[in-house]
Amino acid sequence: MSDKEAVRVGLVGTSWWAEAMYLPALADHPVGRITAVCGRDLDRAQYVATQWSIPKAYNDWSAMVDSGECDAIIVASPNETHYEITMAALDRGLPVLCEKPLGMNVAEAHKMAEAAHQSGAITMVPFTYRNMPTNQFVKQLIDDGFVGQPYHLSMRYFAGYARGGAYAWRFDEAKAGSGIIGDLGSHWLDMARWFLGEVTAVSANRDCFIDRDPRPDGTAYTQLEDSAVIHARFESGASATLQCSAVCWEGTPFGQIHELDLHGSGGTLHALNDWDTVQEVRGVRAGEPGPARPLQIPDSAWQGAPRERVHDTYRHIFRRTEAMTRQWATAIAGGSQVEPDFGTGARVQELVAAAITSASTDGSWQSVPAT
């Protein structure tokens, strides 16, 4: 497909994450091209544009959205900017991929989801970890009845990016809206729903283990949590414990690990992604002797990705297959909706907000009926 025919995508955000996740994904996509990039620092935006052969660079997102040069917008900027940029893009009839959490609060998320629904725009919230091979296989095993009726799920996300005390906007309430509950907990809440169905109630507790520096301008701010445990109940009667922390030392190249345990009437599943060299799923059916044995992850879950190093798997999934950004661009070209969309993003935001309320009230259970 020629550049003239391609879906022209404008990217708002010039962080290392935007460069690692979104620019490579559409660098050689058959139907999507990033044709404009916007950042608060024009020099930085121009540098990124030069490095990735992007025609236009902006430091004013509204000018980019209004330029008529973009068919769709990726919002990969700090949380406080999501709502205004997304609503402007939707008002102009543009499809939007917006980072999670969708808004600063539930009210913003609901308005974003409703605007997307009313406009018919093709939207996506990048809950990335659904796409990793171990999680794809666990989902398949659950759907195929390996564990029977699920009883309880435990998921642990241990990372280390908050161990230092430097200022980071992700822990600034005015800029992020939520701390680790919204940053990592949103991933786990989405995954838990994806695995086990709708959540009916949550409780949570949270901690701030690291004292952080003031903002660069010296002003004080309300510091958000860097560790949390969320408990969830499901319509099915199952329960889950979801632990997320960004103050863990794992010593691996990627600085994080993911662990999962699921027990049910028909059996047990364990999954480990150490974000180094281990991507495994083990299982044992009820009545069989243990311990749980390794289960071969099918080729369909790998999608041709390298298997030796997790980072290489990750790069391949999001840069070479029809996952997340590439899936969204293809959907725009074909006029079809994708999942997880803004409706899913808004529902996860409801769960995040309920967890924050619970953590602020000594872990009280919060009912979260689906709206």
Side-chain angles (χ1 to χ4, degrees):
M1 177 174 283
S2 69
D3 286 343
K4 184 176 180 180
E5 297 171 309
V7 176
R8 302 170 303 168
V9 179
L11 170 64
V12 183
T14 57
S15 66
W16 71 269
W17 175 252
E19 275 206 88
M21 181 57 69
Y22 298 111
L23 294 172
L26 296 183
D28 63 351
H29 192 266
V31 298
R33 301 278 188 278
I34 291 184
T35 55
V37 61
C38 178
R40 290 175 176 172
D41 182 334
L42 183 57
D43 288 341
R44 168 66 180 165
Q46 289 174 333
Y47 171 80
V48 171
T50 299
Q51 291 295 109
W52 290 90
S53 301
I54 298 170
K56 295 290 183 69
Y58 295 85
N59 65 346
D60 179 350
W61 63 261
S62 61
M64 186 179 78
V65 170
D66 287 335
S67 68
E69 298 169 349
C70 300
D71 304 314
I73 299 294
I74 294 173
V75 182
S77 47
N79 300 354
E80 63 177 326
T81 68
H82 290 184
Y83 176 77
E84 187 177 11
I85 299 170
T86 295
M87 293 298 279
L90 291 173
D91 187 57
R92 290 154 180 77
L94 300 177
V96 181
L97 182 154
C98 182
E99 269 289 349
K100 54 77 202 161
L102 195 54
M104 288 285 282
N105 50 54
V106 171
E108 286 189 356
H110 280 174
K111 290 176 183 177
M112 294 161 79
E114 179 61 21
H117 176 72
Q118 292 296 330
S119 69
I122 296 167
T123 63
M124 176 171 278
V125 180
F127 291 119
T128 52
Y129 298 118
R130 290 188 185 195
N131 297 285
M132 293 302 288
T134 50
N135 297 327
Q136 286 283 313
F137 188 33
V138 167
K139 171 66 171 171
Q140 177 185 324
L141 290 167
I142 294 170
D143 291 349
D144 289 346
F146 188 97
V147 299
Q149 177 186 345
Y151 291 154
H152 44 76
L153 169 69
S154 175
M155 296 171 63
R156 297 169 297 284
Y157 190 142
F158 295 142
Y161 63 83
R163 286 176 60 83
Y167 172 81
W169 67 261
R170 292 186 183 279
F171 301 102
D172 183 335
E173 185 176 50
K175 297 182 179 297
S178 57
I180 213 71
I181 293 175
D183 191 22
L184 302 186
S186 60
H187 278 299
W188 260 206
L189 286 163
D190 172 71
M191 287 262 287
R193 288 183 73 237
W194 187 54
F195 286 146
L196 301 184
E198 193 54 82
V199 175
T200 59
V202 299
S203 72
N205 56 68
R206 59 185 176 180
D207 295 286
C208 292
F209 288 110
I210 306 297
D211 290 328
R212 305 197 178 280
D213 294 342
R215 292 176 180 146
D217 64 5
T219 59
Y221 60 96
T222 300
Q223 182 179 319
L224 295 169
E225 75 280 353
D226 49 38
S227 183
V229 178
I230 304 168
H231 303 283
R233 294 171 179 161
F234 297 81
E235 286 182 347
S236 65
S239 66
T241 300
L242 314 173
Q243 184 172 9
C244 301
S245 176
V247 297
C248 304
W249 176 256
E250 292 295 341
T252 59
F254 210 71
Q256 65 180 32
I257 65 169
H258 294 170
E259 298 175 308
L260 175 150
D261 305 298
L262 174 60
H263 297 84
S265 62
T268 298
L269 291 172
H270 303 287
L272 170 64
N273 183 335
D274 74 351
W275 287 90
D276 186 10
T277 60
V278 178
Q279 301 177 81
E280 67 175 17
V281 176
R282 295 177 293 113
V284 59
R285 293 185 183 275
E288 293 180 346
R293 68 185 186 283
L295 304 176
Q296 184 173 353
I297 301 173
D299 292 342
S300 59
W302 290 104
Q303 299 186 71
R307 308 181 186 192
E308 290 75 23
R309 295 178 64 247
V310 179
H311 207 183
D312 292 336
T313 303
Y314 184 80
R315 287 172 172 168
H316 180 95
I317 292 293
F318 295 107
R319 299 179 183 184
R320 309 299 303 173
T321 76
E322 286 295 292
M324 211 177 79
T325 314
R326 293 168 66 88
Q327 179 191 13
W328 174 70
T330 298
I332 294 168
S336 58
Q337 295 293 332
V338 289
E339 169 66 21
D341 61 8
F342 278 13
T344 295
R347 178 55 178 164
V348 171
Q349 188 115 28
E350 291 176 351
L351 302 179
V352 165
I356 292 170
T357 298
S358 173
S360 301
T361 54
D362 295 325
S364 61
W365 279 96
Q366 304 293 310
S367 176
V368 279
T371 55

